[in-house]
């Protein structure tokens, strides 16, 4: 019985050494093959995205009727959005739970989007001047 166990043990040791010696070169080969395949897939994805972007196949979703005037982050996932629809401006509260109308303004709070962007550009210039 002990001879049989010794024989099986020697066969296992010999076969594990044989497998280990033969798989080391193929493991590096497989690793290089996987890395190259991943690089090709990423290259195809970036090339497809570049082609779609250059062709203009995807148009931004804009509406001439609904205008987003201002957005203010209140929390990590909550924000206030001022939207203009026709002559009315609506203040919306957006959270993961949904969207709620906070207030509807009959008279415009902000007259145009340029006014908001000019205010931002002025504040940015002030911040740049303070840093120097």
């Amino acid at each position: 019985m002990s001879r049989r166990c010794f024989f099986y043990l020697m066969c296992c040791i010999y076969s594990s050494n044989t497998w280990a010696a033969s798989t080391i070169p193929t493991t590096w080969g497989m690793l290089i093959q996987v890395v190259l395949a991943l690089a090709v897939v990423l290259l195809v994805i970036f090339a497809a995205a570049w082609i779609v972007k250059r062709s203009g196949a995807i148009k931004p979703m804009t509406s001439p009727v609904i205008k987003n005037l201002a957005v203010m982050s209140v929390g990590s996932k909550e924000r206030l959005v001022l939207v203009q629809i026709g002559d009315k401006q609506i203040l919306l509260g957006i959270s993961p739970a949904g969207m709620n109308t906070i207030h509807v303004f009959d008279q415009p709070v902000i007259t145009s989007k340029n006014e908001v962007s000019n205010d931002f550009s002025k504040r940015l210039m002030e911040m740049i001047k303070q840093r120097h």
Side-chain angles (χ1 to χ4, degrees):
M1 182 77 165
S2 65
R3 281 184 158 175
R4 186 177 285 170
C5 290
F6 179 74
F7 176 73
Y8 286 132
L9 182 64
M10 284 298 145
C11 287
C12 291
I13 291 172
Y14 176 74
S15 66
S16 67
N17 286 339
T18 305
W19 280 105
S22 66
T23 57
I24 290 174
T26 59
T27 303
W28 282 105
M30 289 185 343
L31 181 65
I32 291 171
Q33 191 176 18
V34 167
V35 168
L36 288 175
L38 179 63
V40 168
V41 168
L42 289 175
L43 183 68
V44 168
I45 290 172
F46 284 118
W50 181 77
I51 290 170
V52 168
K53 186 176 180 182
R54 295 288 289 173
S55 68
I58 299 175
K59 305 257 187 236
M61 296 177 57
T62 58
S63 172
V65 179
I66 301 172
K67 295 178 185 174
N68 187 4
L69 298 178
V71 178
M72 183 176 131
S73 182
V74 179
S76 61
K77 295 182 179 180
E78 297 84 14
R79 59 186 185 259
L80 294 172
V81 179
L82 184 63
V83 179
Q84 181 168 351
I85 301 175
D87 295 334
K88 298 201 182 231
Q89 291 183 353
I90 303 169
L91 184 63
L92 300 172
I94 300 176
S95 69
M99 187 180 336
N100 296 321
T101 303
I102 295 175
H103 189 73
V104 178
F105 298 99
D106 292 328
Q107 297 178 355
V109 178
I110 299 175
T111 56
S112 69
K113 192 161 179 110
N114 292 337
E115 190 175 298
V116 174
S117 63
N118 287 341
D119 184 39
F120 174 75
S121 64
K122 288 177 188 175
R123 289 181 54 197
L124 181 63
M125 292 304 284
E126 289 174 7
M127 290 175 65
I128 291 173
K129 287 178 184 176
Q130 287 176 354
R131 291 190 91 189
H132 293 295

